[in-house]
Amino acid sequence: HKRLPSHGVHFGVLNGISLLSWQAVSDNLSYEEIVKEFEEIKTLSHHRRLQILLGVGVACASLCILAKGNFIDASFAFVGSILGMFVRQEIAKKKFNVMIAIIGAAFVTSFIASINVFYGIGLLPEKALATSVLYLVPGVQLVNAVIDLIEGYVATAIARGFYAGFLLLCIALGMAVSILIFGISNFY
């Protein structure tokens, strides 16, 4: 049987293609110019691992602060999301199923954030728990499912929607296991 390699979302490529499509229309680019620009977009390098880890951590910590958590809550979201993303990358490196990587990452992330909830360290520790796993939400797949549905590609939309839904279920499973370990039941 054949296997397709797993590809992560490269937002630099997505952005470049989006800009190229608009430029092709507005500047009336020729086919050759579009192909030349597209070849340049294909050569964009991926971000370094440390950049990704820090970006995920800062994003989740910032979301925690936006959700009215304090800096202690944000610190738990920061550390939890970095460690969870690291686990996800390590599981993906070993070529495990994406679902396993998501469950593992959600578990590790929410386990760290659950320490804050269990001991009541921060002002609103449940905010850290809620925002620390948001980096796992399959936004691109959900958006593509909606776009496919709007454009009339119902079968593709359903397939993408179910895949995204299953990824969300994997996030919930990973979180549920860590929450059950800590016996957390005081959600507001």
Side-chain angles (χ1 to χ4, degrees):
H1 70 284
K2 295 182 181 181
R3 288 186 170 261
L4 293 176
S6 178
H7 298 287
V9 177
H10 191 312
F11 289 105
V13 170
L14 287 176
N15 186 49
I17 291 172
S18 176
L19 292 174
L20 177 60
S21 68
W22 285 102
Q23 184 182 11
V25 172
S26 67
D27 297 348
N28 202 17
L29 296 179
S30 69
Y31 176 76
E32 291 77 22
E33 291 172 315
I34 293 171
V35 169
K36 181 181 172 235
E37 291 290 326
F38 183 70
E39 291 301 321
E40 286 181 29
I41 291 170
K42 285 176 24 180
T43 63
L44 289 175
S45 63
H46 287 276
H47 296 292
R48 292 188 184 101
R49 185 175 194 178
L50 183 61
Q51 289 175 312
I52 293 170
L53 292 172
L54 288 175
V56 164
V58 168
C60 290
S62 300
L63 286 168
C64 185
I65 289 171
L66 286 173
K68 306 284 190 247
N70 64 7
F71 284 100
I72 294 171
D73 299 326
S75 298
F76 275 93
F78 178 79
V79 172
S81 60
I82 285 178
L83 292 176
M85 186 63 177
F86 179 79
V87 166
R88 180 181 179 185
Q89 290 173 337
E90 286 299 307
I91 293 172
K93 247 198 250 182
K94 296 184 186 328
K95 308 262 190 247
F96 279 94
N97 188 307
V98 173
M99 311 300 173
I100 302 298
I102 298 289
I103 292 169
F107 171 76
V108 169
T109 301
S110 57
F111 189 88
I112 301 297
S114 293
I115 294 170
N116 186 19
V117 176
F118 186 75
Y119 291 107
I121 300 168
L123 178 66
L124 295 169
E126 60 279 351
K127 301 296 184 180
L129 183 59
T131 58
S132 63
V133 294
L134 290 178
Y135 71 96
L136 294 168
V137 173
V140 172
Q141 291 91 339
L142 289 168
V143 168
N144 285 342
V146 170
I147 290 171
D148 286 338
L149 191 60
I150 289 169
E151 292 181 353
Y153 302 108
V154 177
T156 305
I158 291 171
R160 287 185 181 172
F162 270 107
Y163 179 70
F166 198 71
L167 291 179
L168 291 170
L169 188 63
C170 291
I171 295 168
L173 178 62
M175 288 183 74
V177 172
S178 69
I179 289 169
L180 287 171
I181 288 171
F182 280 94
I184 297 169
S185 61
N186 57 337
F187 290 105
Y188 303 105

